[in-house]
PDB file of all heavy atoms in Angstrom:
ATOM      1  N   HIS A  48     -31.537  49.531  -4.265  1.00  0.00           N
ATOM      2  CA  HIS A  48     -31.419  50.980  -4.144  1.00  0.00           C
ATOM      3  C   HIS A  48     -31.885  51.692  -5.410  1.00  0.00           C
ATOM      4  O   HIS A  48     -32.509  52.754  -5.338  1.00  0.00           O
ATOM      5  CB  HIS A  48     -29.973  51.366  -3.829  1.00  0.00           C
ATOM      6  CG  HIS A  48     -29.506  51.027  -2.454  1.00  0.00           C
ATOM      7  ND1 HIS A  48     -30.262  51.179  -1.367  1.00  0.00           N
ATOM      8  CD2 HIS A  48     -28.345  50.451  -2.002  1.00  0.00           C
ATOM      9  CE1 HIS A  48     -29.650  50.781  -0.266  1.00  0.00           C
ATOM     10  NE2 HIS A  48     -28.496  50.331  -0.610  1.00  0.00           N
ATOM     11  N   LEU A  49     -31.568  51.129  -6.565  1.00  0.00           N
ATOM     12  CA  LEU A  49     -32.049  51.688  -7.833  1.00  0.00           C
ATOM     13  C   LEU A  49     -33.549  51.704  -7.877  1.00  0.00           C
ATOM     14  O   LEU A  49     -34.181  52.697  -8.331  1.00  0.00           O
ATOM     15  CB  LEU A  49     -31.516  50.898  -9.000  1.00  0.00           C
ATOM     16  CG  LEU A  49     -30.050  51.201  -9.448  1.00  0.00           C
ATOM     17  CD1 LEU A  49     -29.691  50.290 -10.637  1.00  0.00           C
ATOM     18  CD2 LEU A  49     -29.886  52.657  -9.855  1.00  0.00           C
ATOM     19  N   LEU A  50     -34.165  50.624  -7.450  1.00  0.00           N
ATOM     20  CA  LEU A  50     -35.614  50.527  -7.438  1.00  0.00           C
ATOM     21  C   LEU A  50     -36.230  51.579  -6.507  1.00  0.00           C
ATOM     22  O   LEU A  50     -37.199  52.211  -6.880  1.00  0.00           O
ATOM     23  CB  LEU A  50     -36.061  49.098  -7.022  1.00  0.00           C
ATOM     24  CG  LEU A  50     -37.582  48.853  -6.977  1.00  0.00           C
ATOM     25  CD1 LEU A  50     -38.185  49.142  -8.311  1.00  0.00           C
ATOM     26  CD2 LEU A  50     -37.820  47.444  -6.510  1.00  0.00           C
ATOM     27  N   VAL A  51     -35.670  51.745  -5.318  1.00  0.00           N
ATOM     28  CA  VAL A  51     -36.153  52.744  -4.399  1.00  0.00           C
ATOM     29  C   VAL A  51     -36.029  54.151  -4.971  1.00  0.00           C
ATOM     30  O   VAL A  51     -36.953  54.935  -4.922  1.00  0.00           O
ATOM     31  CB  VAL A  51     -35.418  52.636  -3.032  1.00  0.00           C
ATOM     32  CG1 VAL A  51     -35.789  53.826  -2.131  1.00  0.00           C
ATOM     33  CG2 VAL A  51     -35.725  51.311  -2.336  1.00  0.00           C
ATOM     34  N   ASP A  52     -34.881  54.427  -5.558  1.00  0.00           N
ATOM     35  CA  ASP A  52     -34.687  55.764  -6.174  1.00  0.00           C
ATOM     36  C   ASP A  52     -35.661  55.981  -7.351  1.00  0.00           C
ATOM     37  O   ASP A  52     -36.135  57.094  -7.557  1.00  0.00           O
ATOM     38  CB  ASP A  52     -33.240  55.907  -6.699  1.00  0.00           C
ATOM     39  CG  ASP A  52     -32.237  55.962  -5.559  1.00  0.00           C
ATOM     40  OD1 ASP A  52     -32.660  56.308  -4.435  1.00  0.00           O
ATOM     41  OD2 ASP A  52     -31.038  55.651  -5.795  1.00  0.00           O
ATOM     42  N   TYR A  53     -35.923  54.912  -8.080  1.00  0.00           N
ATOM     43  CA  TYR A  53     -36.852  55.027  -9.247  1.00  0.00           C
ATOM     44  C   TYR A  53     -38.248  55.395  -8.750  1.00  0.00           C
ATOM     45  O   TYR A  53     -38.902  56.295  -9.297  1.00  0.00           O
ATOM     46  CB  TYR A  53     -36.887  53.710 -10.022  1.00  0.00           C
ATOM     47  CG  TYR A  53     -38.016  53.624 -10.985  1.00  0.00           C
ATOM     48  CD1 TYR A  53     -37.988  54.371 -12.197  1.00  0.00           C
ATOM     49  CD2 TYR A  53     -39.082  52.778 -10.797  1.00  0.00           C
ATOM     50  CE1 TYR A  53     -39.037  54.297 -13.105  1.00  0.00           C
ATOM     51  CE2 TYR A  53     -40.093  52.681 -11.710  1.00  0.00           C
ATOM     52  CZ  TYR A  53     -40.082  53.436 -12.846  1.00  0.00           C
ATOM     53  OH  TYR A  53     -41.111  53.379 -13.736  1.00  0.00           O
ATOM     54  N   VAL A  54     -38.739  54.694  -7.709  1.00  0.00           N
ATOM     55  CA  VAL A  54     -40.045  54.963  -7.153  1.00  0.00           C
ATOM     56  C   VAL A  54     -40.113  56.378  -6.640  1.00  0.00           C
ATOM     57  O   VAL A  54     -41.086  57.117  -6.836  1.00  0.00           O
ATOM     58  CB  VAL A  54     -40.391  53.931  -6.051  1.00  0.00           C
ATOM     59  CG1 VAL A  54     -41.701  54.314  -5.382  1.00  0.00           C
ATOM     60  CG2 VAL A  54     -40.513  52.537  -6.696  1.00  0.00           C
ATOM     61  N   LYS A  55     -39.099  56.821  -5.920  1.00  0.00           N
ATOM     62  CA  LYS A  55     -39.048  58.201  -5.407  1.00  0.00           C
ATOM     63  C   LYS A  55     -39.122  59.209  -6.505  1.00  0.00           C
ATOM     64  O   LYS A  55     -39.791  60.235  -6.448  1.00  0.00           O
ATOM     65  CB  LYS A  55     -37.821  58.407  -4.519  1.00  0.00           C
ATOM     66  CG  LYS A  55     -37.832  57.697  -3.160  1.00  0.00           C
ATOM     67  CD  LYS A  55     -36.567  58.001  -2.403  1.00  0.00           C
ATOM     68  CE  LYS A  55     -36.594  57.326  -1.040  1.00  0.00           C
ATOM     69  NZ  LYS A  55     -35.325  57.561  -0.292  1.00  0.00           N
TER      70      LYS A  55
END
Side-chain angles (χ1 to χ4, degrees):
H48 288 318
L49 280 179
L50 180 58
V51 172
D52 291 340
Y53 169 71
V54 173
K55 288 181 178 178

